[in-house]
Amino acid sequence: QVQLVESGGGLVQAGGSLRLSCAASGNTFRINDMGWYRQGPGKQRELVAVITSGGTTNYGDSVKGRFTISRDNAKNTVYLQMSSLKPEDTAVYYCKAASVPHDYWGKGTLVTVSS
């Protein structure tokens, strides 16, 4: 089993920044990729960013150039630095860990961007 706990969400004005953290515990040795997904009001869950155990990153088109994902393997923690936030970034942000035999999800942290 793997447990994921997100933190760092909150209310921020448009143009501002936030940093999300996701700490993994349990059988972390089985974790491969880690990533962030989000689900806005009335929208489907979408990819924000993903990072492999080796540090290769991939971003959703809507956040490229504004968000940065990073990972500290020693701390089993993945981060999402969000800058130039827009009201459309308002969503619940979920952490995901790709593992064996299945993936794990955190409970989510709410990010609200006011205009």
Side-chain angles (χ1 to χ4, degrees):
Q1 289 285 342
V2 172
Q3 294 78 41
L4 301 172
V5 178
E6 302 104 332
S7 61
L11 175 64
V12 64
Q13 288 188 333
S17 299
L18 276 178
R19 188 192 194 207
L20 305 184
S21 299
C22 172
S25 61
N27 292 331
T28 58
F29 66 94
R30 294 180 178 273
I31 294 176
N32 297 307
D33 299 353
M34 295 189 75
W36 290 94
Y37 292 72
R38 68 184 182 186
Q39 187 164 13
K43 298 180 180 180
Q44 292 186 330
R45 192 172 296 191
E46 64 175 354
L47 168 71
V48 177
V50 65
I51 185 168
T52 68
S53 56
T56 300
T57 59
N58 188 36
Y59 295 90
D61 289 341
S62 61
V63 306
K64 285 180 180 177
R66 300 188 298 123
F67 291 10
T68 302
I69 189 171
S70 60
R71 180 172 180 170
D72 186 333
N73 291 328
K75 295 182 178 179
N76 296 310
T77 300
V78 64
Y79 305 96
L80 185 69
Q81 178 66 47
M82 306 185 293
S83 302
S84 302
L85 283 161
K86 306 174 181 179
E88 51 262 45
D89 294 318
T90 294
V92 177
Y93 284 70
Y94 297 92
C95 177
K96 176 185 173 183
S99 186
V100 178
H102 60 78
D103 299 338
Y104 293 89
W105 291 86
K107 293 183 178 180
T109 185
L110 177 63
V111 172
T112 303
V113 184
S114 63
S115 57

